[in-house]
Amino acid sequence: MQDWYKNMSFYQIWIRSFADGNDDGIGDLLGVYDKLTYIKSLGVDGIWFSPLYPSPNADFGYDISDYKNIHPDYGTLSDFKRVLNRAHELGLKVIMDLVINHTSDEHPWFIESKKGGDDNPYKDYYIWRDGKGDKLPNNWESFFEGKAWEWCEERGQYYLHIFAKKQPDLNMDNPAVREEIKSIMRFWLDMGVDGFREDVINFISKVPGLPDGNPMLPVINGMPYFKDGPHIHEYLAEFRKVCEEYDCFQLGEGPMSDLKSVLLYTSGEHKSLDMMFNFDHMQADCFMTEYIQRPFSLRKLKRAFSKWQYGLYGKSWNALYIENHDHPRVVSRYGSEEFHRESATALAASYLFQQGTPFIYQGQEIGMTNIRLSSIDLYMDVSSKTNYSLYHLNDPEELRLARIHASSRDSARTPMQWDSSENAGFSRHKPWFYVNDNYTRINVASQEKDKNSILNFYRTCLNYRKRSRICRYGKYREFFADDPKIYTYEREYKGKSLLIICSFSDKEEVVRLPKKYRGRLGHVAICNYPDPEWGLLKPYEARVYETISNSERKNHEKN
Ligand code: GLC
Ligand code: CA
């Protein structure tokens, strides 16, 4: 497999809220088609589509009922091919979401499996167990909906779901299931897609016997028995073989993964993925999930960034992101809605110059912010609804709702804000979900016109990266790790370097230069303020210095 992905950056589309081409209030492939030149204009090189497949939408596409088709809300397979071909014409790669830990309970495999019966080929497609007396098969909890087991009257057994009840886990130990997965991969690769983002891929192999987890650990108690399970590398090797027949790449989503496990997946003899998303840097204002909040700490964010930059250098490759469809908007979390433009651009610079392949989530490039709906009934996301209904029941309503405001995945799922016309230019029909009220102020059209906008800052950074060998190959080093307000890092390659300084302060700060840079700073190549002042950083100022090597400087002085 080629490593073309190392020079690239990707734009993530969560189609339902991206652009509505037929004005029924729901984003679709026609809408995507019309926006392909916009996507190209950002300077990205590819698109990752969150699931486009038929789905009852219990988890908005991550509960699939047909892997080889397109959800009728979004169009048809031929609409998809049109998008794919046009994207390729524009030089954009396209990767699909591959969700194979579980299906929808409305998938025909599950409907068949529920029937049981010894000669039923689908009987063991899922993880079915009897109860233990009047107790559940084990004490695992699901991420989304209480206990991880659901009773099925028809079959007279429980099935495992580590996500929502409508997302039964597949039994990957069954070779027939693995054949199905390979056939799904071939289906899309034959059509011409360029790779996959593989959903919760480190969860697909479970420890035999499904032992009880530690009862003191809520929600994640089953984790030691389904994360990085005993056969995971064998199964991924089988899938890798399929991909090797094509020129494609594989990106795994790895919740709770650590350096050691990611290195096992992405390098050495077990290499079966090209890179992985980790979650460490998404916890700089929370524990484990955004629902359990703590104040934002830049130091925590920096520690997470540096851990992965140092940890994978020269061995593997990072997948860089600060937003996706699973997290509230980053400006509202780590930045400042007050210093909106400044903090959104500083956040961009904080990760776009790291080593790895960057992903930009729809709306991130204009600094879309969180929504704050007035009642839990207005939210759509299954995990927000569960968090609200299961935890903190005795707290005042205001506080319970504030937790949802700060944590809901719905904030990332509001319609894209294209312009200041009705429904933010997303659709002429009433959209399927709330449009953030601030669309008249925050939208693509207005930022197109402003050369200092967040949108244009993303373009500048992405285009710069593409041309820069330092960005691709350079070694990462962080300075002043203890500084609670400023993130300073360098990338160095063949004696040349970039020094990136990002302030996360809402006040002016003094510039602190690493010793080695004193007296050898080159010019400011990129800055989110029009005229950077020597020695002083304005609120959320971010600058990228290009520096010259010592030998170059000496030559320069000689001449
Ligand atoms: C991944 C997806 C998320 C989904 C979950 C279950 O984390 O990104 O949206 O809810 O897996 O499929
Ligand atoms: Ca539509």
Side-chain angles (χ1 to χ4, degrees):
M1 263 182 253
Q2 303 297 315
D3 62 358
W4 42 257
Y5 58 84
K6 290 191 177 172
N7 271 343
M8 298 197 154
S9 51
F10 279 80
Y11 189 75
Q12 182 194 349
I13 294 185
W14 198 81
I15 194 169
R16 203 170 184 79
S17 287
F18 186 61
D20 181 10
N22 66 350
D23 287 315
D24 65 352
I26 299 175
D28 50 41
L29 287 165
L30 205 60
V32 172
Y33 188 90
D34 290 339
K35 299 294 183 190
L36 286 172
T37 48
Y38 166 76
I39 295 170
K40 176 75 185 173
S41 83
L42 298 174
V44 298
D45 312 281
I47 297 170
W48 151 29
F49 279 111
S50 269
L52 302 174
Y53 321 101
S55 160
N57 283 338
D59 188 19
F60 289 103
Y62 287 87
D63 49 322
I64 298 170
S65 53
D66 179 359
Y67 285 90
K68 297 181 180 172
N69 218 329
I70 296 292
H71 194 303
D73 283 351
Y74 309 143
T76 61
L77 274 173
S78 69
D79 293 331
F80 177 74
K81 283 182 202 158
R82 253 183 91 226
V83 168
L84 181 65
N85 292 339
R86 182 74 189 123
H88 284 166
E89 275 168 28
L90 291 168
L92 296 169
K93 301 273 185 190
V94 173
I95 65 171
M96 298 295 268
D97 219 308
L98 189 67
V99 186
I100 55 172
N101 178 67
H102 43 265
T103 69
S104 162
D105 65 341
E106 296 180 35
H107 194 291
W109 300 338
F110 191 73
I111 294 172
E112 285 307 308
S113 195
K114 280 200 294 193
K115 296 179 185 157
D118 285 339
D119 51 1
N120 177 349
Y122 297 99
K123 180 174 150 247
D124 295 323
Y125 264 45
Y126 295 85
I127 302 176
W128 294 100
R129 292 290 184 277
D130 296 328
K132 283 191 180 151
D134 54 4
K135 292 220 300 267
L136 298 174
N138 71 20
N139 68 356
W140 295 3
E141 296 193 23
S142 75
F143 286 102
F144 288 169
E145 279 187 297
K147 299 290 176 208
W149 295 95
E150 188 67 9
W151 175 251
C152 170
E153 194 60 49
E154 187 178 346
R155 173 146 168 164
Q157 278 190 308
Y158 292 94
Y159 66 85
L160 177 71
H161 64 89
I162 58 185
F163 290 92
K165 291 177 188 164
K166 284 182 70 62
Q167 293 171 298
D169 282 53
L170 280 165
N171 173 18
M172 207 54 75
D173 297 332
N174 180 347
V177 170
R178 302 200 298 278
E179 286 312 311
E180 300 273 14
I181 307 299
K182 289 182 251 178
S183 146
I184 294 164
M185 295 175 94
R186 288 206 177 87
F187 178 84
W188 293 101
L189 290 168
D190 285 337
M191 198 179 296
V193 310
D194 304 290
F196 299 105
R197 174 269 188 188
E198 305 184 1
D199 193 66
V200 295
I201 198 67
N202 51 343
F203 291 178
I204 63 172
S205 162
K206 277 86 177 168
V207 169
L210 311 177
D212 274 332
N214 179 350
M216 303 302 283
L217 286 179
V219 186
I220 51 159
N221 62 353
M223 185 94 70
Y225 306 108
F226 61 72
K227 186 170 83 78
D228 308 324
H231 298 289
I232 182 90
H233 292 288
E234 279 160 59
Y235 300 163
L236 290 185
E238 282 184 35
F239 304 153
R240 184 70 168 178
K241 263 216 173 98
V242 174
C243 284
E244 276 166 359
E245 297 163 21
Y246 302 79
D247 181 23
C248 71
F249 89 100
Q250 292 171 281
L251 156 69
E253 184 204 25
M256 327 279 166
S257 48
D258 51 25
L259 278 173
K260 205 174 132 210
S261 64
V262 167
L263 283 168
L264 277 179
Y265 289 118
T266 61
S267 66
E269 60 166 328
H270 290 302
K271 177 167 177 172
S272 51
L273 297 170
D274 297 290
M275 55 182 146
M276 283 183 100
F277 285 133
N278 80 80
F279 285 53
D280 285 348
H281 62 292
M282 300 316 276
Q283 292 168 33
D285 64 353
C286 62
F287 292 101
M288 310 297 287
T289 109
E290 282 93 349
Y291 185 69
I292 311 174
Q293 290 136 25
R294 59 182 168 185
F296 169 63
S297 154
L298 177 65
R299 273 190 235 167
K300 287 202 174 68
L301 179 66
K302 297 197 295 184
R303 209 177 301 143
F305 280 157
S306 291
K307 167 181 162 188
W308 289 90
Q309 286 294 299
Y310 289 123
L312 299 191
Y313 181 77
K315 300 180 188 148
S316 173
W317 197 251
N318 273 293
L320 310 170
Y321 73 98
I322 50 172
E323 275 198 13
N324 63 35
H325 65 294
D326 286 334
H327 303 279
R329 294 289 184 175
V330 75
V331 187
S332 305
R333 297 178 63 182
Y334 297 175
S336 153
E337 291 184 14
E338 187 189 343
F339 290 95
H340 177 251
R341 189 195 68 82
E342 295 79 1
S343 68
T345 46
L347 279 158
S350 76
Y351 90 109
L352 286 178
F353 296 95
Q354 293 181 22
Q355 187 176 48
T357 298
F359 289 76
I360 294 102
Y361 179 65
Q362 68 189 41
Q364 178 189 330
E365 77 277 26
I366 54 169
M368 281 176 63
T369 64
N370 283 354
I371 41 164
R372 295 174 182 89
L373 303 178
S374 60
S375 145
I376 188 67
D377 300 330
L378 304 176
Y379 283 85
M380 296 267 186
D381 169 32
V382 56
S383 66
S384 302
K385 289 192 179 294
T386 301
N387 287 337
Y388 183 88
S389 69
L390 289 187
Y391 310 113
H392 302 110
L393 301 184
N394 296 325
D395 282 354
E397 167 64 15
E398 233 178 67
L399 189 57
R400 293 177 67 198
L401 211 51
R403 283 202 192 88
I404 299 299
H405 292 163
S407 64
S408 180
R409 303 194 297 180
D410 283 332
S411 278
R413 301 173 178 190
T414 60
M416 179 74 185
Q417 294 164 205
W418 294 104
D419 60 38
S420 59
S421 70
E422 206 183 352
N423 306 324
F426 164 75
S427 175
R428 269 174 287 189
H429 188 281
K430 185 172 184 287
W432 74 280
F433 191 42
Y434 292 86
V435 175
N436 195 317
D437 293 335
N438 61 23
Y439 74 91
T440 49
R441 197 162 43 83
I442 302 175
N443 61 63
V444 172
S446 67
Q447 295 196 22
E448 286 283 5
K449 285 185 239 144
D450 173 4
K451 73 176 191 334
N452 296 317
S453 65
I454 304 166
L455 176 62
N456 283 316
F457 189 80
Y458 267 90
R459 287 182 171 134
T460 305
C461 296
L462 289 168
N463 285 315
Y464 185 92
R465 260 190 82 91
K466 237 197 287 250
R467 296 189 309 266
S468 162
R469 293 168 73 78
I470 307 180
C471 282
R472 171 159 177 176
Y473 299 108
K475 213 175 173 140
Y476 170 93
R477 177 168 168 200
E478 185 191 353
F479 298 96
F480 314 123
D482 283 342
D483 194 315
K485 294 182 189 157
I486 298 172
Y487 177 36
T488 308
Y489 65 104
E490 78 170 0
R491 300 292 308 285
E492 181 167 33
Y493 182 63
K494 293 197 169 161
K496 288 194 183 181
S497 54
L498 298 178
L499 182 71
I500 298 101
I501 304 179
C502 304
S503 170
F504 281 70
S505 168
D506 55 10
K507 306 200 174 53
E508 291 191 342
E509 302 289 337
V510 172
V511 177
R512 255 171 109 187
L513 282 183
K515 255 205 201 98
K516 65 181 270 200
Y517 284 99
R518 296 188 193 142
R520 58 166 289 235
L521 271 192
H523 73 295
V524 176
I526 295 176
C527 183
N528 60 353
Y529 279 89
D531 37 20
E533 238 176 275
W534 182 252
L536 201 71
L537 291 172
K538 298 198 186 67
Y540 291 97
E541 180 164 341
R543 38 176 97 158
V544 180
Y545 285 103
E546 271 173 11
T547 68
I548 49 177
S549 65
N550 281 332
S551 57
E552 264 183 340
R553 188 160 56 108
K554 279 183 199 130
N555 282 340
H556 201 70
E557 281 161 8
K558 262 189 259 159
N559 297 336

